[in-house]
Amino acid sequence: MLGAPLKIKIPANIAAITPYPPGKPLEELEREYGVKNPIKLASNENSWGPSPKAIRALRNELLNLHRYPDGSCYYLVQALADKLGVEPAEIVMGNGSNEIIEFLVKAFVLEGDEVITSHPSFLMYQKIVQVRGGINHVVPLSNMRHDLEGIKKMVSGKTRLIFLDNPNNPTGTAIPPVELYQFLSDIPETVIVVLDEAYVDFMDEALQVDAFSLIRNVQGRCPVVFLRTFSKAYGLSGLRVGFGLMAKEIAESLHKVRQPFNINQMAQVGALAALEDEEYYMLTLERTAKGIEYLRRKVDKLGCKSSPTQTNFFLIDVQGNADELYQAMLYKGVIVRSMSAYGFANFIRVTVGTEEENNRFLESLSECIKELGYV
Ligand SMILES: Cc1ncc(COP(=O)(O)O)c(C=O)c1O
């Protein structure tokens, strides 16, 4: 028997939130669809796993778990500062870069303040703003790219933050640096522009912008915060470690809204070891580039249309209903993402996998588009 309904009032802004739809977990597919050995190419993770050095460091750290972690992440922050040429005070660590998004909104957005994002882009920006009672202004992508002119037009005296995922998730497009610099010089100095670089490692060097000068030389220009993560190229999605690069004054505010031990001990140790394993990192970049090229070539041969990408995933126009294709592929044990909820009814998004996973994906895509009559 159900108990009496709760008498509490759920605030309207919370009631209005649709929970974030994560990629379907492998265990869930096994349980619900009864498929054996499913593969997941749906969350832009590193399909080859964490660095062997990170695994070793994590194993060794198990004996220290009775202690609280270092709340300042001293060694990890120091290593990042050395690598990126910034000061430790310009880095804030987060439980995934997701948490830095949360800190920024908590610290700078009050009820009724405005935040500008693109659609489609990473969904968490808007949800966190909703929690805070802020107002989302959502500007549609133009030709699969951020519409910087459209975003500029939305800026008002109440705008506090602008989130740009660069490269964009889900389209994989990056903003040409010349356009980005021009955009930043046109935005008022009172607005923080957040460049979410979760996939920066995979981006062409010519498209990467200089975080060092953008977080510092703010004379006559808006401040810029960079978001980075260990979840993608570094293969540590499960540990939850990300960070932000920003002016010290902004970092000070973020430290005020975070929990004292937001990065757990395993995360600190694993991320540090992964950061130091340059060889494995380079191998990941190489495998990713090769895998993307292979997949795109094969996908196009099947009669679908692949989109160019600056990331470890890409969009595919399947020339038919993406939701149906997604379901059909689930029965074959292959998890991808349908992009219909993002406004692309005929597109799926796929993350590059290991050679074996890529071939399994291609085989199942080929079978499903034939069965569904798309090609
Ligand atoms: C653009 C973008 N930003 C941020 C994130 C979140 O990353 P993290 O695992 O560091 O929280 C993702 C994850 O998919 C993403 O695609």
Side-chain angles (χ1 to χ4, degrees):
M1 204 179 85
L2 289 174
L6 297 179
K7 299 267 167 47
I8 55 167
K9 179 173 163 13
I10 299 177
N13 59 318
I14 302 299
I17 295 172
T18 347
Y20 179 78
K24 196 178 238 336
L26 289 164
E27 301 75 15
E28 193 177 303
L29 189 67
E30 282 186 341
R31 219 172 38 239
E32 290 178 1
Y33 289 69
V35 283
K36 290 270 174 299
N37 304 318
I39 60 166
K40 181 181 171 206
L41 301 174
S43 297
N44 310 334
E45 297 147 338
N46 179 335
S47 298
W48 296 275
S51 131
K53 288 188 180 149
I55 295 172
R56 218 170 304 134
L58 286 164
R59 284 216 174 98
N60 291 339
E61 198 56 31
L62 286 169
L63 294 175
N64 295 326
L65 291 182
H66 56 306
R67 304 280 179 211
Y68 281 105
D70 169 9
S72 74
C73 299
Y74 180 85
Y75 293 107
L76 180 54
V77 167
Q78 203 66 44
L80 281 169
D82 287 348
K83 190 171 182 109
L84 302 169
V86 299
E87 283 185 37
E90 293 167 323
I91 299 176
V92 176
M93 300 304 304
N95 189 266
S97 53
N98 257 322
E99 200 183 27
I100 308 291
I101 302 169
E102 207 169 290
F103 294 162
L104 282 162
V105 174
K106 252 190 196 167
F108 296 107
V109 179
L110 295 176
E111 201 176 331
D113 284 344
E114 298 174 7
V115 175
I116 308 176
T117 54
S118 297
H119 181 77
S121 71
F122 187 51
L123 291 172
M124 286 310 295
Y125 313 137
Q126 288 174 44
K127 293 191 190 303
I128 296 170
V129 171
Q130 273 180 290
V131 172
R132 197 76 179 128
I135 296 167
N136 281 303
H137 288 301
V138 183
V139 179
L141 295 184
S142 162
N143 283 330
M144 300 240 176
R145 289 173 40 183
H146 289 292
D147 176 4
L148 298 181
E149 288 306 313
I151 290 173
K152 262 192 261 176
K153 285 187 195 134
M154 291 307 296
V155 175
S156 79
K158 285 188 148 190
T159 307
R160 301 287 167 257
L161 299 169
I162 298 174
F163 284 102
L164 294 172
D165 44 5
N166 189 39
N168 170 258
N169 178 8
T171 61
T173 57
I175 308 169
V178 177
E179 289 176 32
L180 183 58
Y181 286 121
Q182 181 59 51
F183 172 79
L184 295 175
S185 66
D186 292 342
I187 296 298
E189 291 168 64
T190 49
V191 178
I192 299 174
V193 173
V194 184
L195 293 176
D196 180 348
E197 295 192 329
Y199 303 97
V200 71
D201 310 82
F202 307 114
M203 217 167 153
D204 290 345
E205 249 173 67
L207 290 172
Q208 295 180 19
V209 291
D210 181 18
F212 175 84
S213 72
L214 281 172
I215 61 172
R216 288 196 179 175
N217 308 318
V218 284
Q219 197 72 29
R221 174 177 52 71
C222 64
V224 180
V225 170
F226 287 82
L227 303 186
R228 302 270 177 91
T229 181
F230 282 89
S231 297
K232 309 297 176 185
Y234 287 99
L236 295 176
S237 309
L239 275 186
R240 312 304 302 127
V241 202
F243 59 98
L245 303 171
M246 63 202 81
K248 285 178 202 169
E249 295 87 336
I250 299 179
E252 277 164 20
S253 295
L254 299 208
H255 282 301
K256 289 181 188 170
V257 302
R258 74 170 174 88
Q259 294 209 18
F261 306 115
N262 62 322
I263 313 298
N264 71 68
Q265 182 66 13
M266 298 302 269
Q268 294 190 33
V269 167
L272 181 57
L275 190 68
E276 286 168 350
D277 194 349
E278 186 76 21
E279 198 182 325
Y280 189 76
Y281 170 80
M282 293 309 293
L283 182 62
T284 294
L285 300 195
E286 207 179 290
R287 283 164 156 171
T288 302
K290 262 196 199 151
I292 290 274
E293 200 193 306
Y294 174 75
L295 278 177
R296 287 195 59 211
R297 192 159 28 87
K298 294 281 188 182
V299 159
D300 290 341
K301 268 200 178 149
L302 292 177
C304 299
K305 279 197 194 125
S306 68
S307 304
T309 184
Q310 290 293 327
T311 66
N312 63 345
F313 61 85
F314 63 100
L315 290 183
I316 304 172
D317 181 349
V318 298
Q319 328 266 323
N321 184 304
D323 282 342
E324 278 173 26
L325 179 71
Y326 164 77
Q327 281 298 334
M329 289 185 78
L330 284 184
Y331 281 103
K332 296 190 191 284
V334 176
I335 312 174
V336 293
R337 283 283 184 121
S338 164
M339 288 290 110
S340 69
Y342 290 74
F344 299 123
N346 286 358
F347 286 74
I348 58 167
R349 191 192 68 193
V350 66
T351 309
V352 65
T354 62
E355 255 176 63
E356 197 186 333
E357 287 170 334
N358 291 341
N359 287 326
R360 179 119 174 249
F361 160 77
L362 288 166
E363 203 178 299
S364 109
L365 177 68
S366 166
E367 287 169 11
C368 291
I369 53 177
K370 277 183 204 133
E371 282 163 24
L372 291 165
Y374 294 173
V375 289

